[in-house]
């Protein structure tokens, strides 16, 4: 959550307890969620407002009380809409490494033989969402986090198995589709080269698609046109630097691929509804 890397490899939690909790509101530097993936699972709980989340080929609009579950390695990103949300990033296998009895029932999930549903609306699965709320409350208050999480995950996945809220992976192995792999390659290129000039034709070539088809596939996965996503990512990177560095605003724009200060201000204002200077001032107070 704190890194802009598309394939996050940072440690969430500790080796002994590989799980970390994040509370995200409009003041958080990573309020917007650029597309990324990581080896851990991620559980999101919407506290207020709405969250539009893309996961691989699917899109979900979650509201207060709903829970979303992101599987290991899944490409995901989204847009909060007047939203406050919390998320728990955890290594399912690592948490139960020494608990053989629990591992027996959890193993099909972390080996991705059974694929849980991704979206649990509070109006449809209230019991499961209430379980998530109680677990995350322990992280908010700092009380019995380890016990709450281990107990919650056992009950959570037991409920999924009991209710049949999963699908069977083909050939006992879930592999990304070709187009998800191709889009991941493009997103990695954007992450590495966002400060350089980027052209639609270059991105389409990386995906091994013609530009017209690439635009359609990229939008179906991310919800944005390719060059719109490039500008979105550049603005997110600029917002991070404005808060976490003392670089002049003009230099931040140049570092993030905007060769003209006026264009940087225009694009930044489009995505953040404020100018770069105002954004920095607001987050310094």
């Amino acid at each position: 959550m704190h890194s802009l890397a598309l394939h996050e490899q940072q440690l969430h939690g500790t080796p002994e307890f590989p799980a970390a909790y994040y509370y995200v509101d409009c003041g958080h530097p990573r309020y917007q969620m650029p597309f990324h993936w990581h080896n851990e699972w991620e559980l999101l709980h919407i506290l207020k407002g709405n969250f539009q989340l893309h996961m691989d080929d699917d899109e979900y609009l979650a509201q207060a009380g709903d829970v979303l579950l992101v599987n290991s390695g899944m490409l995901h990103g989204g847009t909060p809409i007047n939203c406050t949300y919390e998320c728990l990033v955890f290594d399912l296998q690592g948490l139960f490494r020494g608990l053989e009895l629990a591992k027996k029932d959890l193993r099909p999930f972390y080996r991705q033989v059974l694929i849980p549903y991704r979206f649990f609306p509070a109006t449809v699965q209230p019991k499961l969402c209430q379980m998530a709320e109680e677990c995350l409350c322990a992280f908010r208050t700092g009380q019995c986090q380890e016990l709450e999480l281990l107990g919650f995950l056992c009950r959570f996945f037991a409920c999924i198995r009991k209710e049949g809220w999963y699908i069977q992976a083909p050939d006992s192995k879930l592999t990304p589709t070709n187009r998800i792999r191709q889009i991941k390659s493009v997103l990695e290129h954007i992450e590495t080269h966002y400060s350089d000039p980027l052209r639609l034709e270059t991105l389409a070539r990386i995906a091994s698609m013609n530009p017209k088809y690439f635009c359609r596939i990229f939008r179906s996965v991310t919800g944005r046109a390719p060059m719109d996503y490039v500008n979105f990512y550049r603005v997110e990177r600029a917002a991070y630097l404005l808060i976490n560095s003392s670089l002049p605003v003009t230099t931040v724009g140049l570092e993030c691929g905007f060769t003209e200060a006026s264009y940087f201000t225009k694009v930044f204002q489009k995505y953040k509804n404020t100018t770069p200077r105002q954004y920095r001032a607001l987050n310094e107070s």
Side-chain angles (χ1 to χ4, degrees):
M1 292 297 297
H2 295 294
S3 168
L4 284 176
L6 291 166
H7 183 190
E8 291 187 352
Q9 300 183 39
Q10 70 184 86
L11 176 66
H12 296 275
T14 66
E16 295 76 22
F17 187 67
Y21 169 83
Y22 303 99
Y23 178 91
V24 184
D25 58 17
C26 61
H28 194 282
R30 294 300 315 282
Y31 180 59
Q32 298 285 339
M33 186 187 285
F35 279 83
H36 65 291
W37 65 95
H38 38 68
N39 295 330
E40 296 85 1
W41 295 64
E42 184 170 354
L43 185 141
L44 291 92
H45 177 234
I46 312 304
L47 294 170
K48 184 178 73 174
N50 299 303
F51 197 111
Q52 187 171 19
L53 185 69
H54 291 262
M55 290 189 273
D56 281 352
D57 287 332
D58 298 314
E59 178 182 350
Y60 305 90
L61 181 62
Q63 58 187 0
D66 293 349
V67 167
L68 298 130
L69 182 64
V70 181
N71 208 330
S72 170
M74 183 176 289
L75 179 66
H76 60 288
T79 304
I81 307 166
N82 298 320
C83 181
T84 299
Y85 64 98
E86 54 190 350
C87 55
L88 193 63
V89 182
F90 58 93
D91 177 354
L92 182 62
Q93 183 176 3
L95 283 168
F96 291 91
R97 187 172 289 114
L99 302 176
E100 194 59 40
L101 286 175
K103 281 168 60 178
K104 175 175 63 69
D105 290 321
L106 289 171
R107 191 174 289 116
F109 291 109
Y110 63 70
R111 288 186 176 175
Q112 301 192 35
V113 175
L114 302 180
I115 313 303
Y117 290 175
R118 302 172 181 178
F119 183 37
F120 300 95
T123 55
V124 180
Q125 287 113 346
K127 179 181 176 181
L128 187 142
C129 292
Q130 181 60 34
M131 287 163 47
E133 160 66 25
E134 291 170 0
C135 173
L136 292 168
C137 182
F139 281 85
R140 273 183 254 134
T141 59
Q143 297 178 342
C144 302
Q145 298 172 5
E146 292 84 355
L147 287 174
E148 282 286 353
L149 179 59
L150 294 176
F152 161 70
L153 290 176
C154 288
R155 289 182 290 127
F156 184 80
F157 283 98
C159 186
I160 288 174
R161 291 199 68 161
K162 179 181 177 182
E163 300 294 339
W165 294 335
Y166 60 85
I167 61 172
Q168 188 85 28
D171 299 325
S172 297
K173 185 177 181 182
L174 179 67
T175 56
T177 62
N178 283 335
R179 69 178 189 174
I180 293 297
R181 283 197 297 267
Q182 289 167 306
I183 296 304
K184 280 185 175 180
S185 297
V186 173
L187 293 171
E188 287 179 326
H189 184 82
I190 293 171
E191 177 196 9
T192 307
H193 299 281
Y194 67 89
S195 60
D196 302 329
L198 291 173
R199 300 176 66 244
L200 175 63
E201 291 76 13
T202 303
L203 301 180
R205 186 168 61 251
I206 292 168
S208 302
M209 302 176 188
N210 69 61
K212 184 176 180 180
Y213 181 67
F214 168 65
C215 286
R216 182 160 63 85
I217 296 301
F218 191 93
R219 183 185 287 275
S220 72
V221 172
T222 69
R224 295 180 183 270
M227 300 315 295
D228 176 40
Y229 186 83
V230 168
N231 280 334
F232 163 74
Y233 187 84
R234 285 171 169 165
V235 166
E236 286 301 303
R237 183 59 189 168
Y240 181 83
L241 289 177
L242 287 168
I243 296 175
N244 294 282
S245 79
S246 57
L247 292 172
V249 170
T250 302
T251 304
V252 169
L254 290 171
E255 290 275 333
C256 296
F258 297 100
T259 56
E260 297 180 7
S262 60
Y263 183 63
F264 173 44
T265 299
K266 178 181 178 181
V267 175
F268 193 96
Q269 193 159 21
K270 173 185 174 183
Y271 291 95
K272 294 294 187 183
N273 295 315
T274 186
T275 68
R277 295 184 190 279
Q278 290 169 338
Y279 184 84
R280 171 173 273 174
L282 286 169
N283 285 280
E284 285 177 344
S285 56

